[in-house]
Structures are given as C-alpha cells and as structure tokens.
Amino acid sequence: MAASQNPSSSSPSSTPPSTPSSPLSASLSTNLAHYTLRNPLSLRAYNDSCAHLPGGNTRTTLHSSPFPLTFASGSSCHLTSLDGDTYTDFLGEYGAGIYGHDHPAIHAAVTAALGRGWNFGGANRFEKQLARSVCERFAPTLETVRFTNSGTEANVVAVGAAMAYTRRTHVLVFRAAYHGCTISFPAPAPAPASTTPHQTQTSTPETLSMNLPHDFVLGTYNDVDATSAAISAALPPSTHLAAILVEPMLGAGGAIPGTRAFLRFLRATATAHSALLIFDEVMTSRLGYRGLGHELGIRPDMMTLGKWVGGGMSFGAFGGRREIMAMFDPRGWGEGGAAVLSHAGTFNNNVVSMAAGVAGLGVLTEEVLGRLNKLGERMKGLVEGVLRKHGVLTAAATADDEDQDKEPPVQTHSELAGATPTTTTTKEHGLTPSPPPSPSSPTRTLKQPKMSITGIGSIMNIHFAGPDKDVLQALFFHHMLEENIYMPQRGFIALSIEIRLRHVEAFVGALERFVERFRKGLVWGEGEGG
C-alpha cells in the first residue's frame, strides 16, 4: 500500500520507522528517496492535484508509492515525464494503448473527423463502418453489436440484457475478476505489509463496494468443483442462472489464463441453465484475431469489447446472438408487445472513437496481431529463463521433493483466490496457473516462487509471493523506473505494436539486474522470509 501524502508537503513522510528496517526495506527507503529527488516536478504536480482530486487523481489504478509520475508527452512506445525523463512504455494503457501513443493512422483519422465537426446528435458515417468491421472480425460470436463509452459500461449493459432476456436475476461471477468498478470482485487477502518503510500497517481497512445490487453468485476461477458447489448453495430450488460473466483470462486479476476445461464447464453450465454465457473480452479480444474465446474454440452467447477496438479512444461494445440483440432494436416498439430495451448514450457513436476504431482495426491485421502476441510469448519465455537461471523458479519446490517428477504443483482454493499463482508450462497457454486440487485429491504443502510471470501473448503479469512480496513488488517497480521502463506497481504488462524485440531485450536485461541484486530475497531459504 502506498503511504498517505499530505497535500501541502513537498516530500514523503520523514517519520522514522517504528521497527528496525530489514535489508529489503532499507533498499526500498533508498529507492523512494532517490525517486523523490529525481522527480520534483511530478511531486509538485501530485501535491497540487491533491487539493482538488482525492488522492491526487481521478483514476485509482494510476496511484503508486510514494506518488505517481506525471507525463508531458508520448510518442511511439515512449513516455516523457514532466521532469524530462523518457521511459519505454510496457503498460500500454492496460491494453487500450495497443497502437502506441501517436500512430499516424489513428492521428490522421481523428484529425479528419474533427475537421468535419462533432456532437452531431445524430448518426454519422463512421459508426456503420465500425459496426461492420467489428462484426466481421469477431464472427461468429458477434452477429450484431452496439457501442458504449467503456468496457465497464459494456459489461453493465450486457449483464442487464441477459437478465432481461432470461427473466432471471442470478449472475455467476468469479473472485479476482474485474469487469469495471461496478462489477468487481477482488479476492480477500490479509492486510499487506506496507510498501513504504516509514508507514506501519496497524489494521485491515474495511472493504467497501460500489457493485451493482444484482444477485451475484461468487465462484472460484479455474475450479470446477468449487464453482459447482457455489451455484448449488446460492440458487434456491428450481432456480436457474440468468448469466455467467467471465474473462477467458483474468486481466486485472493478474493475467491468469482460464483453462479450457474450466471454460468448457462454464459453457455447458450456461446451456444447462438456459443462461447466457458472456465473455468479457475487453482485454483478451486482442489475444487472437477473433478474440481469445475463438482461439480456445468456445463460443459465448454474448461478448464485450473495450477501448482498443475504438482506436484506443473512449469506447466499449457488447453484442452476440441476433435474437438477444434484437431486444435493442427500436423498430420493435409497440409491435405486438415485443420486449424492447432502451440503450442510450450521448457519446456511444461519437465521431472521434468511431473514426479511430475504423482506422485502428485496419492497422491491426491478423498478421500484425499475430506478430505482437508471438513477441509477448517470447518475452515471457525470456523472463522465465532468467528466473530459472538464478534459481528463483526451480527453488520454489514442494515440501515433498520426491514428488517433483510427477504432476506440476497444484494450488489451493485460497491461492487461486488471492495469492500469486504457481506457473507451469503447458501446451495450452504457455505459462499458466496450475489447476486447483479436487476435493478428492491430496493437497501438498507448497511454496510459491517468490517471483513469477503469467499471461497469454501480449498481456502478462509479474508476480511476487512470500512474506516480503509487497516490498519486493515496490522494489521491482522502482528498479524498472530507474532503468527507464514504465509499468504499474502491480506488475501488469500490455505490449503495443510499437514495441520491438530490442525493447523486450532491454526489459529482460533490467529484470535480470533486479534478480541479481535481490536474489537472496527472491529464493526461498536464502534470504528474508526464507
């Protein structure tokens, strides 16, 4: 957790620690002090912002300890801060920035559209072009589509549509899933150790929620047995689900791929309940030309998309089977009592997003997208190679070493719910979390690797585990900033098409220097927490 800041102060708290610093915490103190000295203009901008914005921002995920960088400009895959430092961007706007920061095709499309005016209050020529392109690209799932302003909004409307279509209320969702700030299910976890050495965590803050007041049934991702039990426990007799809302790979939940077996179970469950299976592909739709669900051979009833499909602008979309989407056809008003849903939105068809989307989908051909995802797979392999080279992964052995030549380590339900996943190599996704144990199988005592990577293609996440995981996470974040590499403190990575192999090699080199420097804290039994 980041230290709280006094808006009127010009530096992080200088209160001495209440307990002696560990070597890792001492290193973090040094990093934070250097970061503050290196970025005085960003600190000033942050303090000024705190006067009018709670916490200094209007987007929670952008906060970092002790304060976030403020950027002045972006070009290609680079960002330049107010303090004049240029960083290679590996965050990629959490997936929305797949085109980079100033792609000429997007720039030209937006400029031309603005040259003809905006806010028409009527149809424009771009929306029909974009709708055709989206439906053709994500066929056969998207037979028809409607646009929104964000992925959050798309998920909200898709769930509402499913409830209206089925005339039911229960929606199956999953721990650690994020479908927007009003459909979010963060996994419960113990109070984290402070990542700021001068702050002591004294209690676990109360968990609040802004979730929609739907009848959510909470399942466990990648766990068929636990999810089946959750459905049985939550539904009254003779009651069926309205919908299942799931990401084919958890995005904000840590780039945890769903297994084919689990996603096929959800498809079969939805069919058995006559419920609608909704794939939230706001992030994952870029992991295959027709989306990740299509890559896995699983067809949902509905699908949601996010900003990258709108050229990286304010955009979302939902769509699916024609008979479901017919509820949104305004021509049905008053015709034989047909059920029609009203779906309005001033900027649903704004000319900037529509024009940028048409241009962007033209840029992201199947070849370009395939090349990007192959680069991501290569990057994960290189990172895993570094971790194995230095004993970080191989040292994460099970307590019963004699079992190591058998099946890969498994995860307990609690680990799947909130902890860093164990990673294993499979033919299905590359690096994926191991499946959880079934109730009938023995659960072994495990130690997660203290540093690992998960993901598919161009989206991935660096994880840390163990008693020092929060300090290690913060150390890694600040180490990479020192190497002029920008990514969020939680370790999420989304490559843009502007990233080249040389950028990936620079990232991996910086990561290896971190591993070399902090190896004792990253290998079980050799340092703190071992």
Side-chain angles (χ1 to χ4, degrees):
M1 299 292 289
S4 60
Q5 294 287 328
N6 182 337
S8 63
S9 68
S10 59
S11 63
S13 169
S14 57
T15 304
S18 58
T19 57
S21 291
S22 67
L24 289 177
S25 294
S27 293
L28 182 55
S29 293
T30 300
N31 283 8
L32 293 177
H34 180 71
Y35 174 85
T36 301
L37 291 174
R38 182 184 180 184
N39 299 289
L41 297 182
S42 288
L43 176 58
R44 183 184 303 168
Y46 167 71
N47 288 331
D48 289 345
S49 296
C50 285
H52 305 287
L53 294 166
N57 71 51
T58 188
R59 187 179 173 193
T60 304
T61 191
L62 297 186
H63 186 73
S64 59
S65 61
F67 58 88
L69 293 173
T70 295
F71 293 109
S73 64
S75 178
S76 183
C77 60
H78 301 290
L79 292 165
T80 301
S81 71
L82 286 181
D83 297 280
D85 293 307
T86 298
Y87 300 82
T88 304
D89 179 16
F90 278 84
L91 170 59
E93 187 58 291
Y94 290 96
I98 193 170
Y99 303 100
H101 298 291
D102 60 350
H103 195 284
I106 305 292
H107 187 280
V110 170
T111 301
L114 288 175
R116 299 184 182 92
W118 56 92
N119 290 4
F120 295 163
N124 63 71
R125 66 190 181 93
F126 298 113
E127 62 196 280
K128 58 179 67 70
Q129 295 177 40
L130 183 57
R132 183 186 304 112
S133 296
V134 169
C135 288
E136 289 176 352
R137 186 180 192 118
F138 295 105
T141 297
L142 293 189
E143 294 179 355
T144 61
V145 68
R146 285 181 77 91
F147 301 141
T148 64
N149 296 283
S150 68
T152 298
E153 192 176 321
N155 284 320
V156 167
V157 180
V159 168
M163 293 168 63
Y165 185 78
T166 61
R167 306 295 203 277
R168 302 182 200 138
T169 61
H170 288 85
V171 180
L172 177 62
V173 292
F174 299 93
R175 292 180 183 87
Y178 178 84
H179 307 285
C181 63
T182 58
I183 314 180
S184 177
F185 307 94
S194 173
T195 57
T196 302
H198 304 312
Q199 182 185 16
T200 302
Q201 185 81 34
T202 58
S203 64
T204 303
E206 180 184 2
T207 300
L208 300 177
S209 172
M210 297 190 298
N211 276 352
L212 297 171
H214 294 329
D215 291 327
F216 289 120
V217 177
L218 196 57
T220 302
Y221 198 76
N222 274 346
D223 192 322
V224 171
D225 294 333
T227 298
S228 294
I231 296 171
S232 298
L235 295 185
S238 302
T239 302
H240 294 281
L241 294 168
I244 299 173
L245 177 62
V246 66
E247 300 165 273
M249 177 181 76
L250 291 177
I256 309 299
T259 65
R260 275 193 178 91
F262 178 68
L263 296 173
R264 284 172 177 163
F265 157 74
L266 297 182
R267 174 65 275 175
T269 299
T271 301
H273 281 251
S274 297
L276 301 188
L277 177 62
I278 306 170
F279 273 1
D280 174 353
E281 294 226 38
V282 169
M283 283 190 179
T284 62
S285 52
R286 51 177 277 170
L287 300 180
Y289 186 70
R290 300 189 187 279
L292 183 54
H294 188 271
E295 290 291 304
L296 296 173
I298 301 170
R299 182 177 176 180
D301 301 293
M302 297 186 74
M303 177 183 187
T304 60
L305 303 170
K307 298 175 186 67
W308 78 263
V309 181
M313 304 298 165
S314 179
F315 179 85
F318 67 95
R321 289 173 14 213
R322 189 174 298 274
E323 64 268 26
I324 300 169
M325 296 300 293
M327 292 189 299
F328 294 96
D329 188 340
R331 295 173 297 181
W333 283 108
E335 295 182 6
V340 176
L341 297 176
S342 176
H343 169 233
T346 301
F347 287 100
N348 287 354
N349 67 332
N350 76 85
V351 295
V352 172
S353 297
M354 299 297 101
V358 171
L361 290 181
V363 169
L364 279 183
T365 63
E366 189 166 6
E367 179 184 1
V368 170
L369 199 60
R371 186 164 59 242
L372 176 65
N373 285 312
K374 286 180 181 178
L375 181 61
E377 290 297 332
R378 182 169 183 179
M379 178 175 171
K380 287 200 300 296
L382 291 172
V383 169
E384 187 181 28
V386 168
L387 298 179
R388 292 193 181 282
K389 172 184 174 181
H390 293 279
V392 177
L393 289 183
T394 56
T398 62
D400 47 338
D401 291 337
E402 68 277 7
D403 245 5
Q404 287 184 351
D405 59 340
K406 299 181 181 179
E407 64 186 39
V410 295
Q411 287 180 275
T412 65
H413 295 174
S414 62
E415 288 168 337
L416 279 167
T420 304
T422 300
T423 56
T424 60
T425 301
T426 71
K427 294 180 180 179
E428 184 173 331
H429 289 314
L431 279 172
T432 68
S434 302
S438 67
S440 60
S441 65
T443 301
R444 291 173 286 167
T445 302
L446 306 177
K447 284 187 176 180
Q448 301 273 0
K450 287 192 174 183
M451 186 175 182
S452 59
I453 185 169
T454 59
I456 299 174
S458 58
I459 294 179
M460 60 207 89
N461 209 110
I462 303 288
H463 300 272
F464 292 87
D468 305 307
K469 65 177 183 178
D470 297 300
V471 175
L472 286 167
Q473 189 92 56
L475 278 170
F476 180 67
F477 170 67
H478 284 283
H479 170 86
M480 297 305 274
L481 289 178
E482 283 292 309
E483 298 267 4
N484 291 90
I485 291 172
Y486 181 67
M487 59 188 297
Q489 189 160 329
R490 74 190 196 201
F492 185 86
I493 297 166
L495 305 183
S496 75
I497 59 174
E498 296 296 309
I499 293 286
R500 300 290 186 266
L501 179 59
R502 66 180 183 276
H503 301 122
V504 167
E505 290 173 339
F507 181 101
V508 175
L511 181 142
E512 182 161 23
R513 287 186 284 277
F514 171 81
V515 173
E516 290 170 342
R517 181 179 177 187
F518 295 106
R519 184 182 182 279
K520 286 186 176 181
L522 292 168
V523 176
W524 286 105
E526 294 197 16
E528 299 174 32

